[in-house]
Amino acid sequence: MSAPTRVLVVGASAAGLATAEALRRKGYGGALTLLGAEPHAPYDRPPLSKQVLRGDWEPGRSRLRAPEALAALDADLLLGDPAVALSPADRAVRTASGRELGADVVVVATGVRPRTLPGQAGLAGAHVLRTLDDALALRADLLAARRVVVVGDGVLGAEAAATARALGRAVTLVGPQRAPLEARLGPVPAALLARLHAEQGVDLRPGAAVRGLAGRGGRVTGVRLASGEELPADTVVVAVGSAPATEWLAGSGLRVDDGLVCDSRCRAAEGVYAAGDVARWHHEGLGGLLRLENRTNATEQAAAVAGNVLGADRPYTPVPFLWTDQFATKVQVYGVPAPEDVLTVVEGDPAGGRFVALYHRDGTATGVLGWNMPKQARAHRREVADALSSPSPSPAPADR
Ligand SMILES: Cc1cc2nc3c(=O)[nH]c(=O)nc-3n(C[C@H](O)[C@H](O)[C@H](O)COP(=O)(O)OP(=O)(O)OC[C@H]3O[C@@H](n4cnc5c(N)ncnc54)[C@H](O)[C@@H]3O)c2cc1C
């Protein structure tokens, strides 16, 4: 394909903006359009469950770039107008407002949408947490709440529970695992997280299946468990995972299967690429398809996509990196460890609340866990990077 002169990026958030910036940084001087469904200029999501929800930051501080930096990008920023269809053959995108946009290259960066529970639609006091508007609505309810139930014991649910507790609310965290994040971190770190939450006063309900929400007069009143028990609540945070925002690609002929499926260059078809949470691409080091939902990947994959759009033809083989803040504890994970991998502490001491541990499977390093030791954890990243740089036949577990 000859050098593109018109690039359209769909999704104006972390990965979309980073793609546009990387294109300009790498010398792309052609037309550039950034199309976003939300009305807001690009903003960052990690602070939404932490600083913004706690009220430590005013909402505007989560924006990703100042207006001058956005203007310097020399891109058409079309906001509040979701794409509704893509024709890959001619890279034509139709939007909800009826715009017809054409390009040589389309980059799909539409992220994910939160899943919801039966009975949740239209119920006041029942919240998901994905957008800035979600965070502000949840914060307003949390300030008045007496009893908060967080449904979902993954990264987002545990963060939301910690923040609600930090705001002084009575908080119950309910989920199917034996301890928060067990499927992600394995049993030992998950047990430490459970202890941390319990010490901070979170009421943990592990191993519980949630059937749905209960409400009266249009407002949530509780969470129904499969056991028949009902946990009373005036505010509920539903953090039960997410689904890639790919419904607008239905009928495009592109392969959609838990994300937009791409080759090792993050290319879904000639002239169509994907970056960020929505992209499920072939990671050559892991020898399988991988989709990551983390902030670092949004930026790194965007840079890789921009390079490939401009002809670099390089596989994207990152060492996945995730961080999460739970109360004052900062956790970092490099690699894609499976919960059953063997965990060995290599620095510090879990009893002291600061340590670094390595995950191994069949003698190969699969991950690094940092617990309040970010610098030291980063120093061990190399061990995972070496293992990921050689092609492997083992399947890659999915991220978040
Ligand atoms: C509350 C919260 C806290 C988080 N905390 C952490 C953390 O501590 N550490 C970490 O590593 N990661 C964290 N994450 C994950 C991280 O924020 C995401 O991985 C990152 O935002 C992914 O960027 P993205 O651009 O791929 O997707 P998104 O940020 O989801 O952006 C996609 C954009 O595309 C838009 N869009 C969707 N459909 C269309 C359409 N049809 N047309 C046009 N636009 C569309 C969406 O409205 C959205 O603005 C957190 C996420 C959330 C929600």
Side-chain angles (χ1 to χ4, degrees):
M1 195 177 123
S2 52
T5 59
R6 295 175 308 159
V7 177
L8 167 61
V9 181
V10 185
S13 185
L17 177 65
T19 304
E21 290 182 334
L23 282 167
R24 289 297 192 221
R25 216 171 38 242
K26 291 173 192 285
Y28 173 68
L32 186 54
T33 302
L34 200 49
L35 175 72
E38 293 182 70
H40 307 290
Y43 61 87
D44 213 8
R45 289 177 213 277
L48 300 183
S49 53
K50 310 171 188 79
Q51 295 91 337
V52 172
L53 195 58
R54 273 198 306 269
D56 296 350
W57 285 14
E58 53 91 21
R61 214 171 139 187
S62 63
R63 76 178 179 199
L64 281 167
R65 296 293 175 270
E68 312 79 64
L70 281 182
L73 201 51
D74 191 20
D76 277 338
L77 193 54
L78 308 177
L79 297 174
D81 191 11
V84 293
L86 166 68
S87 161
D90 52 356
R91 270 85 60 191
V93 167
R94 199 171 70 247
T95 74
S97 76
R99 283 184 171 114
E100 302 279 352
L101 303 168
D104 308 317
V105 168
V106 172
V107 178
V108 175
T110 46
V112 296
R113 288 189 211 300
R115 295 185 199 278
T116 55
L117 287 175
Q120 184 175 344
L123 205 55
H127 297 263
V128 293
L129 180 50
R130 183 75 199 171
T131 67
L132 180 59
D133 296 336
D134 293 339
L136 297 180
L138 173 58
R139 178 169 162 75
D141 259 7
L142 281 180
L143 292 179
R146 285 187 304 120
R147 274 195 283 211
V148 180
V149 175
V150 178
V151 182
D153 50 10
V155 178
L156 188 59
E159 283 188 359
T163 300
R165 190 68 202 119
L167 287 171
R169 303 298 151 231
V171 178
T172 301
L173 176 60
V174 59
Q177 306 177 93
R178 287 178 301 183
L181 275 71
E182 184 171 3
R184 175 63 66 90
L185 305 180
V188 174
L192 288 174
L193 264 188
R195 201 170 74 199
L196 174 68
H197 276 258
E199 281 167 0
Q200 296 289 335
V202 175
D203 175 22
L204 290 160
R205 295 301 192 97
V210 169
R211 197 164 349 118
L213 300 181
R216 201 178 318 115
R219 171 129 207 136
V220 74
T221 54
V223 173
R224 288 198 181 112
L225 304 186
S227 63
E229 189 185 357
E230 188 170 315
L231 305 173
D234 47 48
T235 300
V236 174
V237 183
V238 177
V240 294
S242 47
T246 48
E247 64 295 323
W248 67 284
L249 297 172
S252 68
L254 296 173
R255 188 174 157 214
V256 171
D257 177 10
D258 183 33
L260 179 54
V261 176
C262 297
D263 65 12
S264 61
R265 273 63 180 165
C266 308
R267 186 178 44 210
E270 182 72 28
V272 180
Y273 294 77
D277 287 9
V278 73
R280 186 157 176 246
W281 89 104
H282 181 83
H283 188 301
E284 287 189 357
L286 287 162
L289 289 172
L290 183 66
R291 190 173 68 76
L292 297 173
E293 290 184 22
N294 68 58
R295 184 61 185 82
T296 305
N297 180 63
T299 305
E300 291 181 349
Q301 193 164 25
V305 164
N308 286 334
V309 165
L310 299 177
D313 192 26
R314 279 201 203 102
Y316 177 54
T317 53
V319 176
F321 172 63
L322 166 86
W323 82 89
T324 175
D325 299 348
Q326 312 268 336
F327 297 102
T329 293
K330 293 188 181 302
V331 179
Q332 303 83 35
V333 184
Y334 293 93
V336 274
E340 62 276 11
D341 291 351
V342 176
L343 190 69
T344 314
V345 175
V346 291
E347 285 194 51
D349 181 5
R354 294 179 76 235
F355 68 97
V356 177
L358 287 183
Y359 295 88
H360 282 95
R361 194 184 319 149
D362 303 328
T364 302
T366 55
V368 181
L369 173 75
W371 194 280
N372 288 324
M373 289 185 101
K375 255 191 254 148
Q376 293 86 341
R378 196 163 46 243
H380 286 276
R381 177 188 174 279
R382 184 79 255 153
E383 290 155 62
V384 184
D386 289 344
L388 283 181
S389 59
S390 48
S392 145
S394 62
D399 204 54
R400 276 177 198 236

